[in-house]
């Protein structure tokens, strides 16, 4: 992994696939559409608030990627 350029969306997508979490569950958790979830997967960065929510949902500390 290139730690100088972290693509957080792809890391989130990878973890979702590992846990086999449905998009419907994610949409319910975030109160968003499937398109918005796909946009997160394409994002190189997201807000700290959303990263914390993803960390809780996926039971993974995404903040440690940056440290």
């Amino acid at each position: 992994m290139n730690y100088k350029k972290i693509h957080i969306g792809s890391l989130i997508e990878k973890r979702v696939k590992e846990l086999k979490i449905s998009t419907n569950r994610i949409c319910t958790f975030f109160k968003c559409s499937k398109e918005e979830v796909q946009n997160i997967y394409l994002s190189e960065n997201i807000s700290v608030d959303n990263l914390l929510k993803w960390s809780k949902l996926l039971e993974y500390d995404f903040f440690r990627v940056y440290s």
Side-chain angles (χ1 to χ4, degrees):
M1 171 183 261
N2 182 358
Y3 290 102
K4 292 183 180 181
K5 185 158 177 124
I6 298 169
H7 193 289
I8 196 66
S10 63
L11 296 176
I12 290 170
E13 183 178 24
K14 180 180 176 184
R15 181 69 177 165
V16 167
K17 288 179 181 178
E18 286 173 2
L19 297 177
K20 299 177 182 166
I21 295 179
S22 72
T23 304
N24 288 336
R25 179 175 172 203
I26 295 169
C27 290
T28 301
F29 184 83
F30 282 101
K31 298 177 181 138
C32 68
S33 67
K34 292 179 181 181
E35 292 80 20
E36 290 172 307
V37 172
Q38 289 300 316
N39 287 336
I40 291 291
Y41 295 160
L42 299 174
S43 298
E44 286 188 35
N45 50 51
I46 61 174
S47 72
V48 173
D49 292 337
N50 280 337
L51 189 58
L52 180 59
K53 290 177 185 177
W54 279 106
S55 293
K56 289 179 182 179
L57 176 65
L58 302 178
E59 299 174 357
Y60 184 84
D61 182 8
F62 286 102
F63 293 96
R64 72 180 182 179
V65 173
Y66 292 98
S67 59

